[in-house]
Amino acid sequence: MKLAALQMTSGPDVEANLACAAQLLGEAAGGGARLAVLPENFAFMGLADADKRRIAEADGAGPIQDFLTRSARELHLWIVAGTVPLRLPQEPRVAAACLVFTDGGERVARYDKVHLFDVSVPGASGENYRESANIAPGKDVIIVDTVVGRLGLSVCYDLRFPELYRRLSAQGAQISRISATS
């Protein structure tokens, strides 16, 4: 069973990023992959952290989610969509939501990134990163049955927190990390 871990350099132009993702997903499907994983922020990497709020979509509707549904269906490919900024009710911040779509285009899972990158770099005067200023942390551990097995979802900085992976494993995840290999 082939999986594809896709890499791309995203920027502030959603349409250009989706065009790149479409090409990579097409190559993955053409190469025999049954499931493809897009990176965090694949559809949008703003010039400022707060830019995510401007392009955030309602849960279940919007150009990014429509693209994912259509791509999964047309390519007959399961897609794990790194993160998509989704609006949250009564919250000014957005969710960094990892969405999973079947090869028929049905969304079957949503994982909101739990561990956010909030750090002050020691010895670097004023170098601070506060992902939580614009992204609300998720709370739930999510496992989804896919064509390649039971997949435990996580995003980027989550990797530094082994307790998440212990919980995923305890709840039956067979795959909880996908890495690119050469």
Side-chain angles (χ1 to χ4, degrees):
M1 181 80 55
K2 273 193 178 178
L3 289 88
L6 307 178
Q7 294 185 2
M8 54 189 284
T9 303
S10 301
D13 183 340
V14 173
E15 286 184 27
N17 296 330
L18 294 182
C20 179
Q23 178 183 341
L24 294 171
L25 290 167
E27 290 173 15
R34 297 288 314 276
L35 182 143
V37 181
L38 289 163
E40 180 179 29
N41 300 318
F42 76 94
F44 182 76
M45 180 62 81
L47 301 175
D49 286 340
D51 291 347
K52 286 179 179 79
R53 295 179 190 189
R54 181 176 48 80
I55 64 104
E57 297 181 354
D59 188 15
I64 298 169
Q65 294 168 86
D66 292 347
F67 162 80
L68 293 164
T69 297
R70 185 175 56 256
S71 296
R73 187 179 327 112
E74 290 174 1
L75 296 170
H76 308 287
L77 181 67
W78 280 72
I79 298 174
V80 179
T83 56
V84 175
L86 297 182
R87 289 191 294 272
L88 296 166
Q90 297 155 354
E91 167 71 61
R93 299 175 296 173
V94 300
C98 176
L99 306 176
V100 180
F101 295 82
T102 70
D103 56 3
E106 177 189 2
R107 189 177 98 186
V108 291
R110 171 182 168 177
Y111 166 75
D112 291 353
K113 183 178 177 182
V114 171
H115 299 99
L116 303 179
F117 189 68
D118 284 0
V119 299
S120 297
V121 179
S125 165
E127 192 170 352
N128 299 301
Y129 301 93
R130 297 283 175 253
E131 194 172 28
S132 64
N134 296 291
I135 296 174
K139 297 176 181 72
D140 299 324
V141 172
I142 303 294
I143 297 171
V144 60
D145 290 316
T146 72
V147 68
V148 299
R150 298 199 76 206
L151 181 62
L153 301 179
S154 65
V155 175
C156 190
Y157 196 57
D158 284 333
L159 197 56
R160 295 185 56 94
F161 299 88
E163 68 275 7
L164 172 62
Y165 296 93
R166 285 187 201 105
R167 288 178 64 197
L168 289 168
S169 180
Q171 292 181 26
Q174 296 168 315
I175 304 166
S176 57
R177 197 182 104 205
I178 297 175
S179 300
T181 59
S182 45

